[in-house]
Amino acid sequence: MPGILRQLSGLGGCTNPVRLAGHRTEHRLDTATGEIGPTLRRLDSNDLPAGDLLVRCGNRRTTRCPACAETYRRDTFHLITAGLRGGKGTPETVTTHPRVFATFTAPSFGPVHNRPGTRPCRCGRHHIPDDSALGTPLNPDRYDYEAAVLWNAHAGMLWRRFTIHLGREIAKRAGLTQRELPERARVSFAKVAEYQKRGAVHFHAVIRLDGPAGGETAPPHWASAELLTDAIRAAATRAVVTGPILDGHTHTFAFGPQLDTRTIHAPDFNDGQTLTDRAVAAYIAKYATKGAETATGTLDRRLRFVAELATMNLPAHAERLIRTAWALGARKDLEHLRLRAWAHMLGFRGHFSTKTRRYSTTLGTLRTARAEWRRLQTAIQRGEEPRPDDSNDETTLVLAHWTYSGTGLTPTEQWLSASLADTSGAPATEGGNAR
């Protein structure tokens, strides 16, 4: 029992771990002769209490694994924060750079139930915040479901067009050519995608204006939050993507008219309160673990057959969006959009969180640092002298062979994992069965 509890506690609360069968051995290697020495350590899945090596699933979706999603959210928070206040390889001088928090919305595809402030909805009712009717069309037969799905499919490309126009608009306002701009300034950003209740994707982004080498260099004297905000608004109106031709109609996609831009550390957030670095990072990180399933009640995994929808109790609006994506995915001229593979995401196939290379650190760097810390803690528990550079020790030969044997926890492991969560005060969550 102590052994299985230790193995489960090492999952950090993951309820859907990957099960691996195999072994890992470490040998001392003589770099001069190439001779392999005796075994230093050996790990065999047959010797583990669970009978397999359990590895955290690492899923970012809260609906799939709350524990791993929380780790992803915290990593995203630190990634965004590092680009706003410095740290983790980013200089603290970035706090003096012009920074804007912008929200880019989707256009309208037809009137939907909403909560327009103190006024009633178009249907004549005052909806409560958790009303299931919010985001659904007033008249489903007149709602443009095809355009809504195609918008999601082209949203990533539209963002790319926006970043191109943003550089052009900044150069024009600075009196520079597009070729001269990289020598004077650079745009860095981090963004996250969010689904509205109607199922349309929109973007939240932190956009920063740096010197030519990114956050390590000061921006030019003409760089200001006002210039950056003006350039963002102009670029958002100019970014357009031409979509496919359906039934003789050419679809074109652009951002909606509701563009929100707010200067970070300016009193224009929450009724005059200052928009702080922490507030922005927490807001963006919150949406990094949510997908279409959170906003619209749709699926959090791919469909194999559209007939599966008949056995699922999905909201009518979400189901119609999925069926529309599935139907459009059968068209040869839309094959490149892979709409059937991404029907559960209502057509959106882009990354939920992206950033420019020089904005701040990376998720991979944060994960590597965490793995190194765990390795050092394990060495201390074994009574060994921890060596930070052990992973780069050229005198150790590691031989490993692992095969996939299943996913999830057995009922007994699930019960023990929930008991561990209750003991530590963490919320217990449901897990899947091993297969």
Side-chain angles (χ1 to χ4, degrees):
M1 184 65 69
I4 186 65
L5 290 176
R6 281 196 300 269
Q7 189 173 2
L8 292 174
S9 63
L11 294 174
C14 176
T15 56
N16 196 37
V18 178
R19 308 182 76 96
L20 301 176
H23 59 84
R24 179 183 189 273
T25 58
E26 297 182 12
H27 301 267
R28 182 65 64 190
L29 177 65
D30 190 331
T31 56
T33 63
E35 181 180 356
I36 299 178
T39 300
L40 299 176
R41 301 187 189 92
R42 179 177 175 81
L43 175 65
D44 195 308
S45 59
N46 294 324
D47 299 331
L48 295 174
D52 292 306
L53 177 65
L54 304 181
V55 181
R56 297 185 63 167
C57 67
N59 200 301
R60 69 164 191 85
R61 296 175 185 270
T62 304
T63 56
R64 297 289 292 275
C65 183
C68 290
E70 177 62 12
T71 301
Y72 188 91
R73 185 194 67 80
R74 293 181 180 183
D75 283 351
T76 303
F77 174 82
H78 288 294
L79 184 150
I80 300 297
T81 302
L84 290 173
R85 64 173 62 169
K88 303 187 184 303
T90 304
E92 296 181 359
T93 53
V94 294
T95 57
T96 63
H97 296 195
R99 299 167 300 164
V100 173
F101 179 53
T103 299
F104 303 81
T105 60
S108 174
F109 308 109
V112 298
H113 294 276
N114 61 1
R115 304 180 68 233
T118 58
R119 296 180 291 108
C121 176
R122 292 185 182 183
C123 67
R125 296 167 49 199
H126 286 275
H127 296 285
I128 59 177
D130 58 349
D131 193 337
S132 60
L134 289 174
T136 61
L138 294 175
N139 186 348
D141 294 333
R142 300 185 62 181
Y143 192 80
D144 197 343
Y145 280 93
E146 288 188 349
V149 170
L150 291 174
W151 155 264
N152 288 339
H154 290 82
M157 186 183 302
L158 183 62
W159 174 263
R160 173 59 180 161
R161 295 285 175 85
F162 161 75
T163 59
I164 294 173
H165 283 286
L166 180 58
R168 295 173 180 174
E169 294 297 330
I170 292 175
K172 182 170 65 174
R173 283 156 178 75
L176 303 172
T177 65
Q178 297 180 38
R179 182 171 296 181
E180 293 173 335
L181 181 63
E183 301 175 358
R184 308 290 181 83
R186 178 187 295 269
V187 176
S188 300
F189 69 82
K191 74 169 178 67
V192 68
E194 179 202 358
Y195 279 89
Q196 296 173 302
K197 288 185 176 296
R198 56 180 172 145
V201 166
H202 67 181
F203 298 121
H204 302 289
V206 174
I207 304 176
R208 194 181 69 207
L209 192 54
D210 302 326
E216 299 178 357
T217 53
H221 65 88
W222 47 261
S224 65
E226 291 75 15
L227 181 146
L228 181 58
T229 300
D230 189 45
I232 291 172
R233 290 189 170 277
T237 58
R238 286 170 171 73
V240 176
V241 172
T242 302
I245 301 176
L246 299 181
D247 300 328
H249 172 66
T250 302
H251 287 270
T252 57
F253 303 101
F255 289 116
Q258 296 179 340
L259 173 65
D260 183 35
T261 55
R262 306 185 184 187
T263 303
I264 299 176
H265 276 293
D268 58 357
F269 186 63
N270 292 342
D271 299 327
Q273 297 182 9
T274 300
L275 180 59
T276 63
D277 302 335
R278 184 178 182 85
V280 172
Y283 190 81
I284 291 181
K286 176 177 64 174
Y287 292 108
T289 60
K290 298 179 179 181
E293 71 282 354
T294 305
T296 65
T298 183
L299 307 174
D300 61 0
R301 63 194 69 202
R302 290 185 177 182
L303 279 174
R304 292 180 298 174
F305 308 101
V306 72
E308 296 178 55
L309 295 175
T311 63
M312 302 175 183
N313 187 25
L314 297 180
H317 179 57
E319 181 176 345
R320 188 162 177 179
L321 285 169
I322 295 175
R323 290 186 179 275
T324 301
W326 193 272
L328 291 175
R331 297 175 60 110
K332 290 294 184 181
D333 54 337
L334 302 180
E335 187 176 8
H336 63 287
L337 298 178
R338 303 184 63 219
L339 291 174
R340 287 195 169 182
W342 297 100
H344 66 296
M345 298 295 291
L346 311 183
F348 180 68
R349 65 188 191 281
H351 292 288
F352 263 80
S353 58
T354 59
K355 73 175 190 67
T356 54
R357 184 181 300 272
R358 296 181 182 272
Y359 174 80
S360 68
T361 186
T362 64
L363 292 176
T365 301
L366 296 177
R367 292 165 183 158
T368 300
R370 184 163 51 247
E372 176 67 12
W373 183 86
R374 289 174 177 168
R375 189 193 64 78
L376 294 176
Q377 296 302 309
T378 301
I380 293 175
Q381 293 173 2
R382 291 174 176 172
E384 303 172 357
E385 182 179 353
R387 292 179 296 173
D389 61 343
D390 184 65
S391 59
N392 297 322
D393 190 350
E394 296 181 353
T395 62
T396 302
L397 175 65
V398 178
L399 301 176
H401 177 74
W402 300 102
T403 58
Y404 173 80
S405 63
T407 304
L409 300 172
T410 65
T412 302
E413 293 166 350
Q414 187 177 336
W415 181 83
L416 289 173
S417 181
S419 300
L420 287 173
D422 292 339
T423 302
S424 64
T429 55
E430 297 182 357
N433 293 328
R435 61 179 184 272

